[in-house]
Amino acid sequence: MTRHRIVRAVPRAQSSTIAALAAAGVATVHEAIGRVGLLDAGIRPIQDLASIAGSAVTVSCQPGDNLMIHAAVEQVGNGDVLVVATTSPSTDGMIGELLATSLQARGCSGLVIDAGVRDKAALTQMGFPAWTRAVHAQGTSKTRAGSVNTPIACGGQLVDAGDVVVADDDGVCIVPWAGAEVALAAAAARLDKEAKTRRALAAGELGLDLYGLRTTLSDLGVEYVDIR
Amino acid sequence: MTRHRIVRAVPRAQSSTIAALAAAGVATVHEAIGRVGLLDAGIRPIQDLASIAGSAVTVSCQPGDNLMIHAAVEQVGNGDVLVVATTSPSTDGMIGELLATSLQARGCSGLVIDAGVRDKAALTQMGFPAWTRAVHAQGTSKTRAGSVNTPIACGGQLVDAGDVVVADDDGVCIVPWAGAEVALAAAAARLDKEAKTRRALAAGELGLDLYGLRTTLSDLGVEYVDIR
Amino acid sequence: MTRHRIVRAVPRAQSSTIAALAAAGVATVHEAIGRVGLLDAGIRPIQDLASIAGSAVTVSCQPGDNLMIHAAVEQVGNGDVLVVATTSPSTDGMIGELLATSLQARGCSGLVIDAGVRDKAALTQMGFPAWTRAVHAQGTSKTRAGSVNTPIACGGQLVDAGDVVVADDDGVCIVPWAGAEVALAAAAARLDKEAKTRRALAAGELGLDLYGLRTTLSDLGVEYVDIR
Amino acid sequence: MTRHRIVRAVPRAQSSTIAALAAAGVATVHEAIGRVGLLDAGIRPIQDLASIAGSAVTVSCQPGDNLMIHAAVEQVGNGDVLVVATTSPSTDGMIGELLATSLQARGCSGLVIDAGVRDKAALTQMGFPAWTRAVHAQGTSKTRAGSVNTPIACGGQLVDAGDVVVADDDGVCIVPWAGAEVALAAAAARLDKEAKTRRALAAGELGLDLYGLRTTLSDLGVEYVDIR
Amino acid sequence: MTRHRIVRAVPRAQSSTIAALAAAGVATVHEAIGRVGLLDAGIRPIQDLASIAGSAVTVSCQPGDNLMIHAAVEQVGNGDVLVVATTSPSTDGMIGELLATSLQARGCSGLVIDAGVRDKAALTQMGFPAWTRAVHAQGTSKTRAGSVNTPIACGGQLVDAGDVVVADDDGVCIVPWAGAEVALAAAAARLDKEAKTRRALAAGELGLDLYGLRTTLSDLGVEYVDIR
Amino acid sequence: MTRHRIVRAVPRAQSSTIAALAAAGVATVHEAIGRVGLLDAGIRPIQDLASIAGSAVTVSCQPGDNLMIHAAVEQVGNGDVLVVATTSPSTDGMIGELLATSLQARGCSGLVIDAGVRDKAALTQMGFPAWTRAVHAQGTSKTRAGSVNTPIACGGQLVDAGDVVVADDDGVCIVPWAGAEVALAAAAARLDKEAKTRRALAAGELGLDLYGLRTTLSDLGVEYVDIR
């Protein structure tokens, strides 16, 4: 009964905005947009130190089947990030070296998947970054319907085609397409502030003083005692 | 930066359709709509044998805070189901006897929450059915912004205000608002077919014959052997 | 490449032995056979107070597919227990009311499945006991090859066709077919001993004295102190 | 090297205080003492509707060994609750019908264990309530040293001998021995307040008004919109 | 009652076949043999980029005890892989630097364990590859009976002595001893095909065309739409 | 009701003892003190090959709030290890680059946290070692009371201010402050013994002979068989 669709239109934020969000990183962007959009902690990078951002091409697959990922490859534009979810939980290795080769040939900058990947060594060697719930060789079929570029739930968050996906060692954060510019401005302001804070803390100043937390402690009735 | 909103408008499917979907049950409805919309297996009923359906009033809360649930109570109409998600994973007991009392006073028919509940004994005694990831006494604050009746990700699925929530001992299934009538027709057809199948199987007929699966086994090269 | 087979021959222990093992219960049988054969704690009954035993009819399925369960129904004899595993982890609801009806019509006494079931309410009402890793409405296909009555790994243990499956509120224990008589003798001896121990403990005697553990404590250097 | 000790002295709060804390229940007590002392959500009752409180007799066991539980039985006074932890995580069924019989003969009012129990059916039938991480038949030895009535970490919380253990359907909360009277006063005040709130909410008043949350929403910038 | 045995006879596939299976890798071998034999995704390598294969020497231990691993060392031949399971779930560090030194002195090529290891840094430095469910310092005793070279359940799969264990970054796959040659032929054919596919995909050809999936999509009723 | 306190006094073991315990490593220290004090296997290092020890500065925070970590920074002395727990389970990224900068400026040698961290890349680059349950960007508030340098439960173990924390690739072990010297002596003896054992095993001697286990096997009735 459900209508399965492949949507060809993907709204994309400006590439300079996307690049700047990647540079800001997940923790800063997540704070800047009000602590929303962060995928759950079970979705982890397979590599260290990769930090990317890109427009989401979303894929909804049946568990155990990657047909729609093949359909999605055709919809990927240069710099896009593929974001995959399944209609029920799965840790199958839905994407491996072959699909990564195909995605990379299309300019895809990386993968976020609420399921599993395989060929981890090859993916790392070819420089195709991936965030995933599992690394597992378990194979999948190519026979079941799903959708591309429709809204999906991935890692506990809503993702729609064109949303900006920011991913690094701390996880994955989703910025709604329409809010990318505002998010960047807020992130930039936060980075400025953090740089000053970092210098003060490195010089030995305490967060207690810098953030005025001594009053908070006192108001909450926290007592200092010298004897155990 | 994120705009937090409370949407007052909830589209609702016809109450007779909703009641019929409740009678069909989760497994049948899930099959009827193409095996989509099923929340993950970690969200379980706190009671046995409850079977409900209703229009979703959706709530997005910050972890550890139930302010927006209080805001949502005002938006609940008779027969509606409250559907709650948090912006990052939590098992806190966000709803207990007091909120359930308030929801029941509004005609709310039950709760689906991708977090936790408390006062389990009271909820069961007052006949307020709930599906939840955890039962835990852990309390929450009432100080952080979120949204009501905006699309959320709950139990790995998208839920929007007005979607029909069907819940029983087998879990929770979400039927998009616009597809409720078609879903019901498909579910009814399936129930008819299942009734016939049940009679045949109860009479000793085998699924192998009823579904024509002997050919499938043979085509797949499955061999029968008499010696181990 | 793998040869998929349906083995028609199931060795069965004597029905009186099987019945006596059911009466002894899982904890006693597990102890009697040397603390082996116990499925992991994640496989739980869907009902309270059921206590069964039977000869295993084993099924190996692909994840998301219950074709081989249909094939297995034909191999089930009166009093047998169906034991199902998948070739990779799954919590799909592979068995529901229809298959349970068919199994019950064949005299099947219950189900142990390292995956999921659905139609929990119906299964309970029809008195078909089941031990499972999950209750979930998620449906499955009937298109993939597997085997029946070959050795499988289920819940972390080996199970072969004809092994005696003992299941109650404490979990599931597998007794190798050839060892059923010896297991029963050991279980019976243990039950006698436990009855005496229970009387002594109920009368206020301490395990410290009954089992001679005061010496053990002393040998291990455990000290009694009266002041904290 | 570690000194293993059995401490014979258990400070106990007044029995009337303990009884009143049991009547207040876990959620109320947990709130009353400042949202501390709550064991994690993985420790669940094996029965419905039991609600107990008692002075903790604490036990620290090696994983897979229940020797120290036998030693602890002798230290249990009338109405006490046995609280068991292992030095590394375990789900073994460390306590079953025999030990429960012995504990009940000593007047023990129940069990909290950060491991597993077995003989669930018997425990329930004899009215011995238990809160546990697992139900599993897995047996244990009686050969390894540990301690009784020393401070332990159980379910993520500190528990010391004599602390008041409150347990019901919502979990388990630990009240430090010395704070039991103050906790009771705070819980009683809270119960009074909750009774009034319950009546108001049942009459249709909204939490938004009762708690003055409309201002909170407004201050946080949450907007009401009528069109989706 | 259970007979514990150490079997001295291990059937071994040809070393050239084993080496070729290692070169093919887990994902390819798993596909080649019909998507069976793959240990679950929770058993992960402690190192990157190791890729091994060898004949299984199987060990069944009681939880918390590694006596039988010491017995197994004597049965290890050059190039063999030790495969360890426990009779109930455990994450103890059953093998560390000392046992790894002993195993390496016997020519053992690596370890697969459905439990834990310790001395991770030392194991990595000495080039002893291991696949494990946990890294944990938790120590074990050497006092409990088990078996060597009998069939075990490990990571959800059956493993018998002499089965070929293939392990790399994507997990661990078990090839039955008798099927090693056929598995290799199928894997080799698959590798040839994959090389061609990789070239085509790298050149920008789409899987949709290469695998003829456009018809599949159309048959399933998946629609292309240009407007969201 | 709960009194929240910041204790300024931290007893510290001798720095030479602490350094020697770091050199001995977690597995050896854990064995030396009788297999106690080991945090659970879910708390893992974010870096490879770091091996530290230091006096514990303990912190108890409410979930989702790191106010007390700011308070704790002031109490950290040169070489100390910050040990953080929350009053209910959380995986929020409570500590990131800014707090690590502040801690490092105080001479803090590392972090053990039963929750999460963020800015993993920065922490690794600045050489600030951390052991944590999660890496997650999820932010926290600075508004809720807790305590510093009071006893806490962390990773299933008790930790008090001044206890010696030993942490490396195998996890984290806590040595009570008063027992540090005895622990070191036992660890040193164990290291000597292990060095001899390692040489013997590397030379091909078997653990069966070295530890006299052939008798154990025989006593347990384990049989050697030559035919499968």
Short mmCIF file of all heavy atoms in Angstrom, two decimals, chain D residues 62-65 87-89 91-92 136 138 141 143-144, chain E residues 62-65 87-89 91-92 136 138 141 143-144:
data_model
loop_
_atom_site.label_atom_id
_atom_site.label_comp_id
_atom_site.label_asym_id
_atom_site.label_seq_id
_atom_site.Cartn_x
_atom_site.Cartn_y
_atom_site.Cartn_z
N GLN D 62 32.14 -12.76 44.38
CA GLN D 62 32.84 -12.92 43.12
C GLN D 62 31.81 -13.38 42.08
O GLN D 62 30.86 -14.06 42.42
CB GLN D 62 33.93 -14.00 43.26
CG GLN D 62 34.90 -13.75 44.39
CD GLN D 62 36.24 -13.24 43.91
OE1 GLN D 62 36.51 -13.22 42.71
NE2 GLN D 62 37.08 -12.80 44.83
N PRO D 63 32.01 -13.04 40.80
CA PRO D 63 31.07 -13.50 39.78
C PRO D 63 31.02 -15.03 39.74
O PRO D 63 32.06 -15.68 39.81
CB PRO D 63 31.63 -12.94 38.47
CG PRO D 63 33.05 -12.59 38.75
CD PRO D 63 33.11 -12.26 40.21
N GLY D 64 29.82 -15.61 39.67
CA GLY D 64 29.68 -17.06 39.56
C GLY D 64 29.78 -17.80 40.88
O GLY D 64 29.89 -19.01 40.91
N ASP D 65 29.72 -17.08 42.00
CA ASP D 65 29.89 -17.73 43.30
C ASP D 65 28.98 -17.08 44.33
O ASP D 65 28.99 -15.86 44.50
CB ASP D 65 31.35 -17.63 43.74
CG ASP D 65 31.65 -18.55 44.91
OD1 ASP D 65 31.29 -18.20 46.05
OD2 ASP D 65 32.23 -19.63 44.68
N THR D 87 31.72 -8.63 41.96
CA THR D 87 32.89 -7.79 41.70
C THR D 87 33.13 -7.54 40.21
O THR D 87 33.89 -6.65 39.86
CB THR D 87 34.16 -8.40 42.33
OG1 THR D 87 34.26 -9.77 41.91
CG2 THR D 87 34.11 -8.33 43.83
N SER D 88 32.51 -8.35 39.35
CA SER D 88 32.44 -7.98 37.93
C SER D 88 31.08 -8.45 37.43
O SER D 88 30.46 -9.31 38.02
CB SER D 88 33.61 -8.55 37.13
OG SER D 88 33.37 -9.85 36.71
N PRO D 89 30.59 -7.84 36.32
CA PRO D 89 29.20 -8.07 35.92
C PRO D 89 28.87 -9.54 35.69
O PRO D 89 29.67 -10.29 35.13
CB PRO D 89 29.08 -7.28 34.61
CG PRO D 89 30.12 -6.22 34.71
CD PRO D 89 31.25 -6.85 35.45
N THR D 91 25.17 -12.34 35.18
CA THR D 91 23.71 -12.54 35.20
C THR D 91 23.36 -13.94 35.70
O THR D 91 22.24 -14.41 35.50
CB THR D 91 23.10 -12.31 33.80
OG1 THR D 91 23.75 -13.19 32.89
CG2 THR D 91 23.27 -10.87 33.36
N ASP D 92 24.29 -14.61 36.33
CA ASP D 92 24.02 -15.95 36.86
C ASP D 92 22.87 -15.92 37.86
O ASP D 92 22.68 -14.93 38.58
CB ASP D 92 25.26 -16.49 37.59
CG ASP D 92 26.41 -16.78 36.65
OD1 ASP D 92 26.20 -16.80 35.43
OD2 ASP D 92 27.53 -16.97 37.14
N HIS D 136 17.70 -16.38 35.27
CA HIS D 136 18.50 -17.35 34.52
C HIS D 136 18.85 -18.51 35.43
O HIS D 136 19.24 -18.32 36.57
CB HIS D 136 19.80 -16.68 34.02
CG HIS D 136 20.37 -17.34 32.79
ND1 HIS D 136 21.69 -17.28 32.45
CD2 HIS D 136 19.78 -18.08 31.82
CE1 HIS D 136 21.89 -17.93 31.32
NE2 HIS D 136 20.76 -18.43 30.91
N GLN D 138 21.31 -20.40 35.36
CA GLN D 138 22.77 -20.64 35.50
C GLN D 138 23.21 -20.75 36.97
O GLN D 138 23.05 -19.82 37.77
CB GLN D 138 23.53 -19.49 34.83
CG GLN D 138 25.05 -19.57 34.93
CD GLN D 138 25.62 -20.74 34.14
OE1 GLN D 138 25.08 -21.12 33.11
NE2 GLN D 138 26.69 -21.34 34.64
N SER D 141 29.00 -21.54 42.13
CA SER D 141 29.76 -22.32 43.11
C SER D 141 29.66 -21.67 44.49
O SER D 141 29.00 -20.65 44.66
CB SER D 141 31.22 -22.40 42.66
OG SER D 141 31.76 -21.09 42.51
N THR D 143 32.66 -21.23 46.67
CA THR D 143 34.08 -21.41 47.00
C THR D 143 34.90 -20.13 47.07
O THR D 143 36.11 -20.20 47.31
CB THR D 143 34.75 -22.33 45.95
OG1 THR D 143 34.65 -21.71 44.67
CG2 THR D 143 34.08 -23.69 45.90
N ARG D 144 34.31 -18.96 46.82
CA ARG D 144 35.16 -17.77 46.71
C ARG D 144 34.81 -16.69 47.74
O ARG D 144 33.64 -16.41 47.99
CB ARG D 144 35.06 -17.19 45.31
CG ARG D 144 35.50 -18.22 44.26
CD ARG D 144 35.52 -17.62 42.90
NE ARG D 144 35.65 -18.70 41.91
CZ ARG D 144 35.49 -18.53 40.60
NH1 ARG D 144 35.20 -17.33 40.14
NH2 ARG D 144 35.62 -19.54 39.78
N GLN E 62 34.04 -23.37 31.05
CA GLN E 62 33.05 -22.82 31.96
C GLN E 62 33.31 -21.31 32.06
O GLN E 62 34.45 -20.87 31.93
CB GLN E 62 33.21 -23.44 33.36
CG GLN E 62 33.16 -24.95 33.37
CD GLN E 62 31.84 -25.52 33.85
OE1 GLN E 62 31.01 -24.77 34.37
NE2 GLN E 62 31.63 -26.80 33.68
N PRO E 63 32.26 -20.51 32.31
CA PRO E 63 32.50 -19.07 32.44
C PRO E 63 33.46 -18.78 33.59
O PRO E 63 33.35 -19.40 34.65
CB PRO E 63 31.11 -18.50 32.72
CG PRO E 63 30.28 -19.66 33.17
CD PRO E 63 30.85 -20.87 32.50
N GLY E 64 34.42 -17.88 33.38
CA GLY E 64 35.35 -17.52 34.45
C GLY E 64 36.48 -18.49 34.66
O GLY E 64 37.20 -18.38 35.66
N ASP E 65 36.71 -19.40 33.73
CA ASP E 65 37.75 -20.40 33.94
C ASP E 65 38.43 -20.74 32.61
O ASP E 65 37.75 -21.05 31.63
CB ASP E 65 37.14 -21.67 34.54
CG ASP E 65 38.21 -22.62 35.06
OD1 ASP E 65 38.83 -23.31 34.22
OD2 ASP E 65 38.44 -22.65 36.29
N THR E 87 30.33 -21.88 28.41
CA THR E 87 29.02 -22.54 28.50
C THR E 87 27.90 -21.58 28.91
O THR E 87 26.73 -21.91 28.77
CB THR E 87 29.07 -23.73 29.50
OG1 THR E 87 29.63 -23.26 30.72
CG2 THR E 87 29.90 -24.86 28.95
N SER E 88 28.26 -20.43 29.44
CA SER E 88 27.27 -19.35 29.55
C SER E 88 28.00 -18.04 29.31
O SER E 88 29.22 -17.97 29.43
CB SER E 88 26.52 -19.39 30.89
OG SER E 88 27.22 -18.72 31.89
N PRO E 89 27.27 -16.97 28.90
CA PRO E 89 27.94 -15.76 28.42
C PRO E 89 28.91 -15.16 29.44
O PRO E 89 28.64 -15.11 30.64
CB PRO E 89 26.78 -14.80 28.16
CG PRO E 89 25.61 -15.67 27.90
CD PRO E 89 25.82 -16.86 28.80
N THR E 91 32.38 -12.03 29.65
CA THR E 91 33.30 -11.12 28.98
C THR E 91 34.65 -11.06 29.70
O THR E 91 35.43 -10.14 29.48
CB THR E 91 32.71 -9.69 28.89
OG1 THR E 91 32.39 -9.25 30.21
CG2 THR E 91 31.46 -9.66 28.03
N ASP E 92 34.91 -12.04 30.55
CA ASP E 92 36.20 -12.07 31.26
C ASP E 92 37.37 -12.12 30.27
O ASP E 92 37.27 -12.68 29.19
CB ASP E 92 36.28 -13.32 32.14
CG ASP E 92 35.30 -13.28 33.30
OD1 ASP E 92 34.75 -12.20 33.58
OD2 ASP E 92 35.09 -14.33 33.92
N HIS E 136 39.00 -6.85 28.52
CA HIS E 136 38.76 -6.62 29.94
C HIS E 136 39.81 -7.36 30.75
O HIS E 136 40.13 -8.50 30.47
CB HIS E 136 37.36 -7.13 30.33
CG HIS E 136 36.77 -6.46 31.53
ND1 HIS E 136 35.82 -7.03 32.32
CD2 HIS E 136 37.00 -5.24 32.08
CE1 HIS E 136 35.48 -6.19 33.29
NE2 HIS E 136 36.18 -5.10 33.17
N GLN E 138 39.60 -8.57 33.61
CA GLN E 138 39.04 -9.54 34.57
C GLN E 138 39.70 -10.93 34.47
O GLN E 138 39.66 -11.57 33.42
CB GLN E 138 37.53 -9.67 34.32
CG GLN E 138 36.82 -10.68 35.22
CD GLN E 138 36.79 -10.25 36.69
OE1 GLN E 138 36.77 -9.06 36.98
NE2 GLN E 138 36.85 -11.20 37.59
N SER E 141 39.95 -18.38 36.72
CA SER E 141 40.57 -19.49 37.45
C SER E 141 41.01 -20.59 36.47
O SER E 141 40.84 -20.44 35.25
CB SER E 141 39.58 -20.04 38.46
OG SER E 141 38.39 -20.46 37.79
N THR E 143 40.32 -24.17 37.13
CA THR E 143 39.86 -25.29 37.96
C THR E 143 38.65 -26.05 37.44
O THR E 143 38.19 -26.98 38.10
CB THR E 143 39.49 -24.78 39.38
OG1 THR E 143 38.42 -23.82 39.24
CG2 THR E 143 40.66 -24.11 40.06
N ARG E 144 38.10 -25.66 36.27
CA ARG E 144 36.84 -26.29 35.88
C ARG E 144 36.93 -27.02 34.53
O ARG E 144 37.53 -26.54 33.59
CB ARG E 144 35.75 -25.22 35.81
CG ARG E 144 35.56 -24.54 37.16
CD ARG E 144 34.42 -23.59 37.15
NE ARG E 144 34.48 -22.74 38.34
CZ ARG E 144 33.72 -21.68 38.53
NH1 ARG E 144 32.84 -21.33 37.60
NH2 ARG E 144 33.84 -20.94 39.61
#
